[in-house]
Amino acid sequence: MDWLTNWIFDLLYGIQKSICYIIDFIKDIFYTLAGIETVNVDGNETDLLSNFLLSDTVKKSFLIVMLVAVALLVVFVIVAIIRSEYANGENKKSKTLILGKSLQSFIIFLIVPFVLLAGITLSNTIVKSVNTAMNPYVMETGQDATIGGQILVTSGYYAYIGDPDEREEIEIKFITGELDYNDKDVVSQYYKIRDLDFFVGIIGSLVILIMFVMSAISFIQRIFDIILLYIVSPISVSTIPTDDGQRFKQWKEMMIGKVLGAYGIILSMNLFFIIIPQVQQITFFGNAFKNGIVHILFLIGGAFAVTKANIVIANLTGSHAGGSETRELIANMRTGKNITRAVGTTALAVGGAVLGGKAYMDGNKSGGFTGGMKSTFTSPTSKSVAGLENPTKAQRWAKMPMRLATMPVGVMKDLAKGGIVGMGKNFVPRMNNVIKGDTLFNHAQAIKRKPKITEVPSANNTEER
């Protein structure tokens, strides 16, 4: 029993550390997508977003859109001048003002790429500094914190068996990765595996994993949004003479919200590492189970705060662009779910039709997929044709060429009526029909054999004997 229970607890810890490993991997993705960590492109170290914005494809797309926007600017200037000629009162604008707006638009065409790239570079530099300042473990040890180590320390608050005087030092080593939480032998030296709070460890890590996956998808979505806003920026600039820059103002707010909102998740993640260790040192109730519930609620709440941080930063900058991102992500996930379900249903229908042919489709109409599959394997594909009871060799061989020639037609008929299953069920009977049958055309024929008659002695003969 000790071996069995130890195996179960080792399995539970294996599940916990596997989930934590994925979370730490996603955290590294955060830093790369946010621009805090650089990527290597053809031997050059650069942040991911700047690399995309400076790529040749994006440059060409931006140039083409800008040429179109210049043409639109000329059209909008003409429209604004014509409108001002027929306008009265406050709506009337001077031609000098309209031409000044058009000159402003032309200048903005040229400075948007430089301002955007400079802003991204400056933001990355500031966030790197703030990230270092908010990460207590980087300040103390020079190493970044791991979520897996944090969850181990959290779930093992009552399972620590090491030296009490060195506990804080050991916990910091696990959190910073100096001691590997993936190595069970190392963990066993300081924590009793069977006493770990797996409810907090596994459930909490699963919730964090889901939240972080959603945040990672938001990061990637944000990169596409920023590139799209960058490419279409000349279009919004070209409308300045007609709407006094309202569309350009909206574009500017969206761009600022997209760029700065990404950093909110990173900063909130560091806040997560600051608060959670302090929560673990607080005894809320005298019952360990109740304390575990409070601790896991803090873990879940912290994970939700990480995913919502971009909205806070976006609102702080005066932009509401980040407010609907989570709702859009959930809506996209629902759409993907519906598409997947539709594709799966279609695939099952096509697969069932191929497998069971008409028999599956008839059963599917009344009993769904289960009824279709039942009909596929139970319904007869075709009726057996009985031949002569004892055909002679001449009767069998004379028609054999015709039976062999018509067998492919019969196989195709079986495939249409019963699918692959029906074709398989009738293949051997059709071959038997070719060899032993006596019909002119090929059938899934069952040969009737004359029953053997055995004589039963009469009662008189028995008496005589």
Side-chain angles (χ1 to χ4, degrees):
M1 290 300 298
D2 289 340
W3 175 87
L4 179 60
T5 54
N6 288 335
W7 180 83
I8 292 174
F9 285 114
D10 288 344
L11 177 62
L12 290 174
Y13 184 71
I15 295 173
Q16 175 179 319
K17 72 178 184 180
S18 299
I19 299 173
C20 292
Y21 179 81
I22 298 174
I23 296 174
D24 282 320
F25 174 68
I26 295 176
K27 189 196 73 168
D28 294 336
I29 294 177
F30 283 172
Y31 288 140
T32 302
L33 296 178
I36 295 178
E37 297 291 339
T38 58
V39 294
N40 188 293
V41 181
D42 297 330
N44 298 321
E45 296 292 332
T46 180
D47 67 275
L48 190 62
L49 182 56
S50 298
N51 174 67
F52 286 134
L53 293 175
L54 293 174
S55 64
D56 293 336
T57 306
V58 174
K59 286 180 181 178
K60 291 178 181 178
S61 301
F62 178 80
L63 180 60
I64 293 173
V65 173
M66 188 170 69
L67 294 176
V68 174
V70 170
L72 290 175
L73 176 61
V74 175
V75 174
F76 289 144
V77 168
I78 296 173
V79 171
I81 292 174
I82 295 174
R83 184 187 297 174
S84 66
E85 292 293 331
Y86 294 95
N88 296 320
E90 297 179 355
N91 295 326
K92 189 175 182 62
K93 297 180 182 179
S94 65
K95 296 179 182 178
T96 304
L97 178 61
I98 295 174
L99 293 176
K101 293 288 186 180
S102 64
L103 179 61
Q104 178 185 356
S105 300
F106 188 75
I107 294 174
I108 294 176
F109 281 151
L110 301 177
I111 66 173
V112 161
F114 301 101
V115 172
L116 178 60
L117 291 172
I120 292 174
T121 303
L122 178 62
S123 300
N124 289 343
T125 304
I126 294 174
V127 171
K128 285 180 182 179
S129 302
V130 176
N131 177 62
T132 303
M134 291 187 64
N135 195 326
Y137 303 106
V138 173
M139 298 290 290
E140 295 178 8
T141 65
Q143 294 179 336
D144 198 7
T146 62
I147 296 179
Q150 181 64 68
I151 291 179
L152 171 62
V153 171
T154 302
S155 63
Y157 187 76
Y158 299 103
Y160 184 76
I161 57 176
D163 189 348
D165 296 333
E166 299 179 352
R167 177 166 186 169
E168 184 177 355
E169 180 182 354
I170 296 300
E171 289 179 346
I172 291 176
K173 287 183 177 180
F174 273 112
I175 292 175
T176 58
E178 185 176 347
L179 292 176
D180 188 7
Y181 68 87
N182 286 297
D183 192 337
K184 185 178 70 68
D185 295 332
V186 174
V187 175
S188 301
Q189 296 177 15
Y190 303 99
Y191 293 95
K192 191 174 182 179
I193 300 295
R194 63 171 55 234
D195 290 342
L196 291 174
D197 192 343
F198 290 108
F199 180 75
V200 172
I202 295 179
I203 302 300
S205 57
L206 278 174
V207 174
I208 294 173
L209 176 62
I210 294 173
M211 294 296 101
F212 277 25
V213 167
M214 293 177 63
S215 297
I217 295 174
S218 297
F219 263 107
I220 297 174
Q221 179 183 349
R222 188 173 291 109
I223 289 177
F224 279 91
D225 290 342
I226 291 175
I227 296 173
L228 177 62
L229 288 172
Y230 169 68
I231 292 176
V232 302
S233 60
I235 302 296
S236 62
V237 174
S238 65
T239 61
I240 290 178
T242 57
D243 63 0
D244 293 328
Q246 292 298 319
R247 288 181 178 82
F248 177 68
K249 180 181 178 181
Q250 184 179 5
W251 174 91
K252 182 173 62 176
E253 290 182 354
M254 290 182 65
M255 179 63 79
I256 294 175
K258 294 291 183 181
V259 172
L260 298 183
Y263 304 126
I265 295 179
I266 301 298
L267 302 182
S268 182
M269 187 187 303
N270 289 329
L271 189 62
F272 177 88
F273 286 117
I274 293 174
I275 293 179
I276 294 301
Q278 300 180 31
V279 172
Q280 295 305 121
Q281 300 174 5
I282 300 175
T283 302
F284 295 92
F285 303 99
N287 187 291
F289 177 76
K290 292 181 179 179
N291 284 328
I293 294 295
V294 177
H295 294 161
I296 196 171
L297 288 176
F298 267 93
L299 283 172
I300 295 172
F304 271 102
V306 170
T307 60
K308 298 288 186 179
N310 64 308
I311 300 176
V312 176
I313 299 298
N315 292 335
L316 184 63
T317 59
S319 170
H320 301 284
S324 61
E325 284 186 355
T326 304
R327 292 192 299 271
E328 291 175 359
L329 178 60
I330 295 175
N332 292 338
M333 292 173 65
R334 288 176 179 171
T335 302
K337 177 183 176 182
N338 294 334
I339 293 174
T340 303
R341 181 184 299 173
V343 171
T345 303
T346 304
L348 285 176
V350 173
V354 172
L355 193 65
K358 187 175 182 297
Y360 169 83
M361 291 187 287
D362 292 341
N364 186 55
K365 291 179 181 178
S366 57
F369 178 77
T370 304
M373 295 305 293
K374 181 179 179 181
S375 178
T376 296
F377 289 98
T378 58
S379 300
T381 304
S382 60
K383 295 180 180 179
S384 297
V385 177
L388 300 174
E389 291 184 356
N390 295 303
T392 63
K393 291 183 178 180
Q395 291 172 328
R396 287 190 285 113
W397 291 354
K399 302 175 183 177
M400 182 181 292
M402 181 60 71
R403 291 196 300 272
L404 182 61
T406 56
M407 182 176 174
V409 178
V411 170
M412 294 303 295
K413 180 181 177 182
D414 293 337
L415 182 63
K417 191 174 181 181
I420 296 176
V421 174
M423 183 181 68
K425 288 193 296 186
N426 280 355
F427 186 77
V428 173
R430 286 189 180 278
M431 285 298 299
N432 287 333
N433 177 255
V434 171
I435 300 171
K436 301 177 182 180
D438 55 63
T439 58
L440 177 62
F441 300 106
N442 183 261
H443 297 282
Q445 180 180 0
I447 304 297
K448 285 188 177 180
R449 298 185 181 277
K450 182 182 290 186
K452 294 182 179 180
I453 300 175
T454 56
E455 294 183 358
V456 180
S458 63
N460 295 330
N461 293 337
T462 305
E463 291 176 358
E464 291 177 357
R465 290 178 181 175

